[in-house]
Structures are given as C-alpha cells and as structure tokens.
Amino acid sequence: MRTVIVLAAGVGKRMKSDLPKVLHPVLGRTLVGHVLAAVGAALPGSRVLVVIGRDAERVAEHVAEQAPHAGTVLQAEQRGTGHAVRVALDAVPDDDGPVVVLNGDLPLISPDTLHALVAEHEAARAGVTLLTAAVANPAGAGRIVRDDGGGVARIVEQRDASPAELAINEINAGAYAFDAGALREMLGKISTNNDQGEEYLTDVVGLMVAGGWPVRAHLTADPDETLGCNDRAELAALRATMRARINTRLMLAGVGIVDPATTWIDVTATVAPDAVIEPNTHLRGASLVEPGAVVGPDTSLIDTEVGAGATVVRTHADRARVGPGAMVGPYAYLRPGTVLGAKAKVGTFVETKNAELGEGAKVPHLSYIGDATIGEHSNVGAATVTVNYDGVRKHHTVIGAHARTGADNMFVAPVEVGDGAYTAAGSVIVKDVPPGALGVARGVQRNIDGWVTRRRPGTAAARAAEQALGPVSHEPSGSDEEQAG
Ligand code: UD1
Ligand code: CA
C-alpha cells in the first residue's frame, strides 16, 4: 500500500501567530487542507499520515474534519523534516509500498502534478523522485545540485550552501516519492551536521545517490505550484497566486469576472458559466452562483446560494439563499437563515435573519426582518421592524400573501398579518390582523391652527406661514393649545 506523509509539525515561527502555520486559511481551505485535498484527488486509496507537533490537538482536530480517512502521528520535538518522516514511518508496516512525502505548506501543488510525480516514480522504480522547479528567486529554498552528467547529486539547504550553490535556481519543492526500504535505510544514516543541527530529509537524496539508487527530478512546468510560505508576506503572495489561478479557471469555463485582481473566490465555491462577478467581490465557503446571476460590486457571500438571473449588489450575505431572479441591495445584510423566493426583493439598508420571503415579496427600504415569514407578492413598507426579541426569547412574525404593510411599522412578535391584509403607516402592530383587514395602530392627528404665528412670532417660519395664509390671522381652533416640543 502507498503511504502519503504530510509534514505539519513545524512551529512556523516566522508567521508570528497564535495559529499554527499550516492552519492559516487561503481561499477556502487551510494550507494543510489544500495539501490534503490534492492528495485525496491525486492519490485516492493511499494511507495518509499527517505529522503533527505544534498545537497537535488543534491540528489533529482540523485534519479529522478535513480528511477523515487520514491519521495523525505526533512528532513531540521538531528535530527536522527527516526526523518527522522517521517518526511517521514508525507507524507504517515494514516493506510496504512507496512513500510520498509532502510539506504541509505546499498548498498550490495540483493533483495533476502530484499524480505525475508519483506515477513517474513508480514506473521508474527509483529510490526517490523529487519535485523541482526553476524559479527566478530561489532564496530560502533547498537547491538541486546536479553532477556533470546532469543527474541529481544532492540537495543543499540555503543556510549550508556555498556562493556557487546559492546561484543555482532549481529548487526543491518539498514533494517527494520514495522507495520505502531505501528511505528507511537512508534516514538511519542522516546526521545533524548542518547549520540548524536538524535531521534534514533532503540529505536522503545524496545518500541515495551514494548508495547507487536511481534518483530522479520531476521539473514542474508551473513553478508557482511550488510556492511555500514561511511568513505573512509570502502567505499574501501565495493567496494572490491562488486567486489568479481560480479566476482564470472560472473565466475559461465561461464565468464573467470583471476585475480578477479584486475578485476573491474560494476553491470551495461554485460559479456557473454566464454568471457575472463585479469588482471587489468575495465568494467564500460553499457559495454557489447560478447562470446569469450578477454578484457585486463590493459584495461578500459566505456559504450563500444565488439563483439564476438574480442580482446581489453591495451586499454582505452569510448562509443565505437568494432565489432565481431575486434582487438584493444595494447595501443589504442577509444573515443566516435568510431564504428569498424567486423574484423577491431585499432593498437598500435592509437586514434579514432567519427570514423567508415568498415569490415576488418585497422589502425595499430601511428595514429589519428577523424571524419572519412573508408570503408571496407581499410588500413591506419602508422602515419596518419585526420586533422579534422580548429580551429573553425570539418570536416569529408571519405576514401572509399579497399583504401591503405601511411604512414605519413595528410588528411585535409573535404576531400574524393575514393574506391580503393592509396595515397603516406608523402602526405598532401587537395584535393579529385578519385576512383582508386594515390594521391601524397609531395616535390620531390633530392640527392647532395659527400656533406658529402666535407662539413663534417674528421667526422665518411665522413669516412663511403668514405669507401662505394671507393677511387674515387665524384664531386657535380649540382650547387645547399646547407648547411645542
Ligand atoms: C524545506 C526543505 C527545502 C525546500 C523547502 C520547500 C528540508 C530540510 N528543507 O525547507 O529543501 O526547498 O522545504 O518549501 O526539508 N516540519 C515538521 N517537523 C519538523 C520540521 C518541519 O513537520 O521537525 C514540517 C513543517 O511544518 C513544514 C515542512 O515540514 O510543513 C517543511 O518545513 P520548513 O521548516 O518549512 O522547511 P524549509 O526550511 O522551508
Ligand atoms: Ca517551508
């Protein structure tokens, strides 16, 4: 059986983070999550072991979530990549199949490349086949030292390299396929005689050459695949590379991306052909955008589905479902449990949570709709609040189909407005409104004639009133004259 060992025990000191390096997120997965996904796609049926060390419990939990079939092995002390592999091999039966080793910080490696590396190795029965790349700036990486015949002689780490070796631009990517027996033998021979005093997995290469084992290099055509990350600046560069790669794949599949430089789509999101993504838009998690939908500009969708032909403009949405042809925004906030029917509308400065809008239902302006069901083709007036929270519990508001509720309504839940009912503007609805009824719940207006000219004489308001009313001065209409304010 083939074994895949993923190295994820390192401290990741240069990240300067409480989060272990391999758990830093990049467009939908953690660094190690990307590696495990590539392994799952390229090498199904392999035994997968993740070497953990720093924050072992936390990393193990994440691995269990991300790749339930993978096991973990504890490297209690981080004594180098060679030591990490040695620890992992203790958990693998002797004389077993090939061993693939991958650095945990190699998130851009593609399943195709990984598959090709392992297939080449297994066909050639080499001692080791390693992934290499010719890069413009090799700084930091191990260099591939070749012999006069062009064969791989050994790998030298940056810190141990001579000036001539530092000039080599072919680097070790951190992905290898080994013969298990040869690997075990050579790991027993490596020393800690290097600048860091660590056991270097890379020393196995020179030892295999000396032992007469065939050593092969698989030079990748796309050096970006070998981008690792040691600090946050490299993490950002890696994220940008992954963004470009995802966007290019989607555009070639027919997705309209107006400005790829400001469009961030997680690998886990799905966008259909003929959807259009406007600038400065983020599609995260399991978000799904159907054909003909337009999302953005300035929009973030988290685990949110947008139906065919819908538009979502300047919106933040989390775990929401937007039906086909629906319209959202500008400036909407859809919170978890929002479900918008076909052609529904959630307009400007509207927040929804745990709210279901039927087909064609509209909440166009300045409203909070939480814990509510709104029937099809109903219209909710501007500045409406479903008053869902009594300070202890949440309660539900139901508005039926084809209802018309007035502007500035408070629906004090639990409360129900029947099908085809109306409510008056400015109402505080605390009792159910039967189907077809008009609910009115507000003070009756009265006007005190002439109040301004008497109580605020000489003001601009009084002069304007006098001009509008003409020379006749108006007497108070009753005895209930009041002070303003
Ligand atoms: C390593 C390679 C280098 C290569 C580079 C590619 C060695 C000695 N050097 O260097 O040739 O060019 O990767 O990015 O292997 N880890 C453990 N246990 C340890 C030490 C490290 O699990 O004791 C893990 C880390 O978590 C990381 C991976 O191994 O995922 C690589 O370790 P890192 O320290 O980043 O190696 P580099 O110095 O980058
Ligand atoms: Ca590294």
Side-chain angles (χ1 to χ4, degrees):
M1 188 185 202
R2 185 196 299 124
T3 301
V4 180
I5 297 170
V6 178
L7 304 183
V11 178
K13 218 170 161 184
R14 285 167 285 174
M15 296 294 285
K16 302 196 173 143
S17 176
D18 277 343
L19 193 64
K21 178 168 90 178
V22 291
L23 295 193
H24 278 260
V26 182
L27 290 172
R29 293 193 181 108
T30 60
L31 290 172
V32 70
H34 283 286
V35 175
L36 288 168
V39 168
L43 308 170
S46 307
R47 174 195 294 120
V48 181
L49 292 174
V50 182
V51 182
I52 57 177
R54 182 189 162 177
D55 292 298
E57 222 166 282
R58 199 164 167 189
V59 178
E61 220 169 86
H62 176 70
V63 169
E65 253 171 49
Q66 198 66 33
H69 56 278
T72 50
V73 177
L74 183 69
Q75 182 196 19
E77 254 182 281
Q78 283 71 61
R79 294 200 267 148
T81 47
H83 177 253
V85 173
R86 215 148 54 73
V87 169
L89 281 180
D90 288 345
V92 176
D94 270 344
D95 298 320
D96 217 17
V99 176
V100 177
V101 177
L102 298 169
N103 283 359
D105 61 348
L106 196 60
L108 284 165
I109 189 162
S110 73
D112 285 353
T113 297
L114 185 52
H115 187 264
L117 173 78
V118 174
E120 181 181 326
H121 173 79
E122 292 176 2
R125 295 175 176 274
V128 57
T129 305
L130 43 119
L131 186 66
T132 72
V135 297
N137 176 15
R143 311 293 208 280
I144 309 297
V145 180
R146 295 204 175 239
D147 60 26
D148 293 341
V152 175
R154 61 194 172 90
I155 298 174
V156 63
E157 293 304 304
Q158 160 100 15
R159 314 164 67 126
D160 304 300
S162 67
E165 287 165 341
L166 286 175
I168 298 171
N169 77 335
E170 186 183 8
I171 61 143
N172 169 35
Y176 325 74
F178 294 99
D179 175 90
L183 176 61
R184 278 181 208 277
E185 184 191 335
M186 302 311 167
L187 280 175
K189 294 184 181 173
I190 54 178
S191 73
T192 53
N193 185 17
N194 52 56
D195 186 61
Q196 292 198 95
E198 289 188 350
E199 291 181 37
Y200 285 167
L201 176 62
T202 43
D203 284 351
V204 161
V205 172
L207 289 166
M208 285 212 185
V209 171
W213 281 94
V215 171
R216 303 175 66 94
H218 181 91
L219 181 71
T220 171
D222 176 8
D224 281 351
E225 283 197 53
T226 66
L227 281 175
C229 122
N230 294 309
D231 57 37
R232 289 179 191 256
E234 288 177 8
L235 180 66
L238 195 149
R239 183 178 284 120
T241 303
M242 193 177 291
R243 178 201 67 217
R245 182 191 279 194
I246 293 168
N247 288 343
T248 301
R249 171 174 57 76
L250 289 170
M251 288 187 283
L252 294 180
V255 175
I257 296 182
V258 175
D259 181 17
T262 62
T263 300
W264 299 84
I265 302 177
D266 283 359
V267 276
T268 45
T270 309
V271 190
D274 274 330
V276 174
I277 311 299
E278 296 281 355
N280 201 20
T281 291
H282 305 246
L283 306 181
R284 292 171 48 193
S287 292
L288 165 71
V289 181
E290 301 271 25
V294 178
V295 177
D298 305 328
T299 293
S300 294
L301 305 184
I302 302 160
D303 297 325
T304 288
E305 295 177 17
V306 177
T311 59
V312 180
V313 181
R314 286 184 218 280
T315 289
H316 187 90
D318 182 5
R319 283 163 281 169
R321 271 169 32 216
V322 176
M327 296 200 304
V328 178
Y331 306 107
Y333 180 20
L334 309 184
R335 291 168 53 198
T338 296
V339 179
L340 310 183
K343 297 189 173 158
K345 178 179 169 125
V346 167
T348 307
F349 301 117
V350 173
E351 173 180 344
T352 62
K353 184 216 72 174
N354 194 20
E356 211 170 309
L357 267 66
E359 180 174 342
K362 294 189 168 102
V363 184
H365 330 274
L366 299 159
S367 294
Y368 171 65
I369 306 297
D371 298 298
T373 308
I374 297 171
E376 55 182 37
H377 304 293
S378 285
N379 190 86
V380 172
T384 289
V385 174
T386 56
V387 183
N388 58 337
Y389 187 44
D390 64 11
V392 180
R393 268 184 220 91
K394 299 286 169 70
H395 302 281
H396 205 82
T397 297
V398 177
I399 294 173
H402 296 280
R404 297 280 177 270
T405 67
D408 196 22
N409 276 195
M410 301 286 131
F411 292 100
V412 182
V415 74
E416 187 165 346
V417 176
D419 291 346
Y422 276 51
T423 59
S427 290
V428 178
I429 302 292
V430 296
K431 292 192 302 194
D432 290 353
V433 181
L438 168 68
V440 189
R442 65 180 185 212
V444 176
Q445 179 178 346
R446 66 204 170 89
N447 298 331
I448 301 166
D449 289 334
W451 189 94
V452 174
T453 43
R454 285 192 311 281
R455 294 299 193 126
R456 300 290 182 265
T459 62
R463 282 195 297 277
E466 275 154 13
Q467 202 155 33
L469 291 169
V472 190
S473 124
H474 275 241
E475 293 303 316
S477 57
S479 58
D480 53 357
E481 188 170 338
E482 278 178 4
Q483 295 287 335

mmCIF file of all heavy atoms in Angstrom, residues 14 21 103 105 228-230, ligand 2:
data_model
loop_
_atom_site.group_PDB
_atom_site.id
_atom_site.type_symbol
_atom_site.label_atom_id
_atom_site.label_comp_id
_atom_site.label_asym_id
_atom_site.label_seq_id
_atom_site.Cartn_x
_atom_site.Cartn_y
_atom_site.Cartn_z
ATOM 1 N N ARG A 14 8.128 32.205 11.890
ATOM 2 C CA ARG A 14 8.150 33.478 11.160
ATOM 3 C C ARG A 14 6.754 34.020 10.837
ATOM 4 O O ARG A 14 6.608 35.164 10.425
ATOM 5 C CB ARG A 14 8.975 33.324 9.866
ATOM 6 C CG ARG A 14 10.477 33.284 10.122
ATOM 7 C CD ARG A 14 11.258 32.813 8.910
ATOM 8 N NE ARG A 14 11.143 31.377 8.715
ATOM 9 C CZ ARG A 14 11.628 30.721 7.667
ATOM 10 N NH1 ARG A 14 12.238 31.378 6.694
ATOM 11 N NH2 ARG A 14 11.484 29.414 7.572
ATOM 12 N N LYS A 21 1.063 27.503 11.632
ATOM 13 C CA LYS A 21 1.174 27.939 10.237
ATOM 14 C C LYS A 21 0.254 27.164 9.309
ATOM 15 O O LYS A 21 -0.450 27.751 8.489
ATOM 16 C CB LYS A 21 2.620 27.796 9.755
ATOM 17 C CG LYS A 21 2.795 28.181 8.290
ATOM 18 C CD LYS A 21 4.250 28.309 7.886
ATOM 19 C CE LYS A 21 4.799 27.007 7.397
ATOM 20 N NZ LYS A 21 6.207 27.146 6.957
ATOM 21 N N ASN A 103 5.503 18.544 2.088
ATOM 22 C CA ASN A 103 5.489 19.602 3.094
ATOM 23 C C ASN A 103 4.051 20.069 3.286
ATOM 24 O O ASN A 103 3.286 20.164 2.328
ATOM 25 C CB ASN A 103 6.345 20.791 2.627
ATOM 26 C CG ASN A 103 7.838 20.536 2.788
ATOM 27 O OD1 ASN A 103 8.238 19.474 3.259
ATOM 28 N ND2 ASN A 103 8.640 21.506 2.393
ATOM 29 N N ASP A 105 3.105 22.964 3.906
ATOM 30 C CA ASP A 105 2.918 24.340 3.432
ATOM 31 C C ASP A 105 3.138 24.430 1.923
ATOM 32 O O ASP A 105 3.843 25.286 1.423
ATOM 33 C CB ASP A 105 3.846 25.313 4.180
ATOM 34 C CG ASP A 105 5.325 24.997 3.977
ATOM 35 O OD1 ASP A 105 5.648 23.914 3.448
ATOM 36 O OD2 ASP A 105 6.166 25.836 4.348
ATOM 37 N N GLY A 228 5.840 27.883 -1.342
ATOM 38 C CA GLY A 228 5.545 27.586 0.054
ATOM 39 C C GLY A 228 5.284 28.904 0.752
ATOM 40 O O GLY A 228 5.101 29.941 0.103
ATOM 41 N N CYS A 229 5.250 28.868 2.065
ATOM 42 C CA CYS A 229 5.041 30.132 2.745
ATOM 43 C C CYS A 229 5.624 30.053 4.136
ATOM 44 O O CYS A 229 5.349 29.133 4.889
ATOM 45 C CB CYS A 229 3.561 30.457 2.711
ATOM 46 S SG CYS A 229 2.767 30.681 4.239
ATOM 47 N N ASN A 230 6.490 30.991 4.458
ATOM 48 C CA ASN A 230 7.138 30.995 5.763
ATOM 49 C C ASN A 230 6.737 32.186 6.610
ATOM 50 O O ASN A 230 6.847 32.137 7.822
ATOM 51 C CB ASN A 230 8.660 30.965 5.589
ATOM 52 C CG ASN A 230 9.109 29.653 4.961
ATOM 53 O OD1 ASN A 230 8.741 28.580 5.417
ATOM 54 N ND2 ASN A 230 9.868 29.741 3.880
HETATM 55 CA CA CA B 2 8.945 25.949 4.222
#
